[in-house]
Amino acid sequence: MLIVMDKAASPEELAAVVERIEKYGWQAKPIPGGERTAIGVLRNKGPVDPALFLDMPGVRDVIPVSKPYKLVSREMHPENTIVELGQNDKALRIGDGSLILMAGPCAVESESQALEIAHAVKEAGATIFRGGAFKPRSSPYSFQGLGVKGLEILAKVREETGLYIVTEATDHEVLDIVEEYTDIIQIGTRNMQNYRLLRRAGQAKKPVLLKRGMWATMDEFLMAAEYIMSEGNNQVMLCERGIRTFTRHSRNTLDINAIPYMRQESHLPIVVDPSHAAGRRDQVIPLARAAAATGVDALIVEVHNHPEKAMSDGPQSLYPEQFSKLVEGLKNMNIPL
Ligand code: PEP
Ligand code: MN
């Protein structure tokens, strides 16, 4: 349920509506908009009678929200959310109509590796550096990431290049540390339904890049984002990274259909990861271009200076020159970067 206030509603009228919602044991979530404020009603078990609010001063309309996800839904929040990194007029805005480029290796392997790649992707036009310090690997014998040392390297990358950082938090303990170092907390595909971790991410003071579970339906994905938002963190990005299908010509299948669907259902910025969708270098650029053509807000692309020696995901990592070519191609498509 969404209670839409009059443009001229006073703070006292707003407070009275909030008080009435809470009197019934529900949660009130004011959503300030450019034009007017709306108040979401959450945690109601059954339908809410609109008549309870329609007669209150300052109330313009009461709209039922039909979806199971509320805070995430465009029904409840018609305007696009913009995720901001940094402050004041220099802030980087994700979701304002331009395409933001996040790029870097799958895993941080050393300071020189990270810095070399960071300088190259920055030169090409990226503004956010990706790199895992804690890696969720299918095999316990594979490289698990440099851990805190990797986070220190990421901090150095930010200091030296001015790039913002996105890195994954694989569990609660890691999230506590990652939150201190990073600009964006990544929740990976394998953790999309780790509800306690999602709640913890919702309490963080940093934006969250939520990757779609490789088997998740759209409802499950959007409900996962709802978990984060329900704890008070409104800075959430939805990342399509490919889902498992029967194909053998790629690691996963980029669900292009999901992009317009997410745009319609949610106000949150949309990010596409063509690298994990493809799993092979030759498909990354075409998928990135396809995603950009649908008007996504950001791409997150794996780039490595020596992919053949990479400690994870080398076969899908672009060479820095290929990343530059990708960016040139996007410019030729008139994508606003
Ligand atoms: C990654 O971004 O390196 C990663 C592990 O992604 P995903 O969770 O989508 O597999
Ligand atoms: Mn990877």
Side-chain angles (χ1 to χ4, degrees):
M1 169 84 79
L2 189 65
I3 300 168
V4 183
M5 303 300 290
D6 272 329
K7 237 187 243 176
S10 67
E12 291 73 27
E13 288 168 342
L14 211 116
V17 173
V18 169
E19 197 181 313
R20 188 170 292 186
I21 295 169
E22 289 172 352
K23 199 184 88 189
Y24 287 102
W26 305 320
Q27 187 191 342
K29 171 88 185 172
I31 306 168
E35 281 281 295
R36 49 171 62 86
T37 293
I39 306 171
V41 180
L42 302 173
R43 299 184 199 276
N44 49 303
K45 297 277 181 303
V48 174
D49 182 1
L52 293 174
F53 301 98
L54 273 171
D55 64 343
M56 295 185 76
V59 171
R60 182 192 169 86
D61 203 1
V62 176
I63 304 169
V65 177
S66 54
K67 306 291 175 175
Y69 37 87
K70 311 284 177 199
L71 301 171
V72 163
S73 77
R74 203 176 271 287
E75 268 181 321
M76 201 132 166
H77 189 294
E79 292 159 37
N80 285 341
T81 282
I82 295 177
V83 167
E84 288 206 12
L85 300 175
Q87 263 134 35
N88 55 52
D89 51 337
K90 284 217 212 90
L92 183 70
R93 292 157 63 83
I94 309 171
D96 73 351
S98 62
L99 179 73
I100 299 295
L101 298 170
M102 311 181 183
C106 179
V108 176
E109 297 168 11
S110 68
E111 189 174 308
S112 58
Q113 173 247 19
L115 281 170
E116 194 178 314
I117 300 170
H119 282 294
V121 297
K122 182 181 176 179
E123 176 77 22
T127 44
I128 301 175
F129 184 73
R130 63 145 293 145
F134 293 86
K135 294 302 301 174
R137 303 303 302 278
S138 303
S139 164
Y141 310 117
S142 300
F143 176 58
Q144 306 284 310
L146 295 181
V148 175
K149 173 84 188 126
L151 296 178
E152 285 165 4
I153 293 173
L154 289 170
K156 180 93 194 276
V157 166
R158 176 177 41 218
E159 196 185 300
E160 212 180 290
T161 63
L163 292 168
Y164 292 102
I165 301 298
V166 55
T167 196
E168 179 167 353
T170 45
D171 60 37
H172 258 69
E173 206 184 330
V174 169
L175 202 151
D176 289 345
I177 318 167
V178 159
E179 188 183 8
E180 281 177 38
Y181 284 87
T182 197
D183 299 299
I184 302 174
I185 300 165
Q186 178 174 324
I187 301 288
T189 191
R190 295 160 186 81
N191 267 319
M192 192 213 81
Q193 281 173 313
N194 182 341
Y195 298 118
R196 287 195 62 235
L197 186 64
L198 296 176
R199 283 198 192 281
R200 172 64 186 84
Q203 291 151 11
K205 300 282 173 284
K206 299 273 170 78
V208 176
L209 176 80
L210 177 65
K211 298 188 99 178
R212 178 182 177 189
M214 59 184 100
W215 288 283
T217 63
M218 271 293 116
D219 273 1
E220 288 165 343
F221 186 29
L222 296 170
M223 288 306 276
E226 185 82 11
Y227 260 93
I228 301 173
M229 291 191 73
S230 72
E231 292 293 322
N233 192 342
N234 299 325
Q235 299 271 286
V236 180
M237 291 168 268
L238 302 170
C239 179
E240 164 59 37
R241 48 79 69 202
I243 50 171
R244 285 217 160 156
T245 64
F246 53 83
T247 59
R248 295 196 179 167
H249 53 265
S250 56
R251 180 175 177 180
N252 291 290
T253 296
L254 182 66
D255 185 5
I256 285 273
N257 308 54
I259 301 168
Y261 187 77
M262 287 189 279
R263 192 63 92 199
Q264 173 188 299
E265 289 296 305
S266 177
H267 52 89
L268 296 173
I270 301 172
V271 183
V272 162
D273 174 346
S275 307
H276 290 87
R280 42 189 281 185
R281 191 174 306 123
D282 63 328
Q283 293 180 355
V284 172
I285 293 179
L287 293 186
R289 290 167 64 88
T294 66
V296 295
D297 301 297
L299 294 174
I300 180 163
V301 182
E302 286 186 343
V303 178
H304 200 289
N305 48 351
H306 300 289
E308 60 293 340
K309 291 196 210 135
M311 296 175 93
S312 64
D313 287 347
Q316 69 195 33
S317 300
L318 295 185
Y319 287 90
E321 311 79 71
Q322 288 180 303
F323 182 68
S324 304
K325 277 214 180 100
L326 163 62
V327 180
E328 284 313 306
L330 295 172
K331 286 182 190 156
N332 292 337
M333 286 167 69
N334 292 326
I335 302 290
L337 296 173

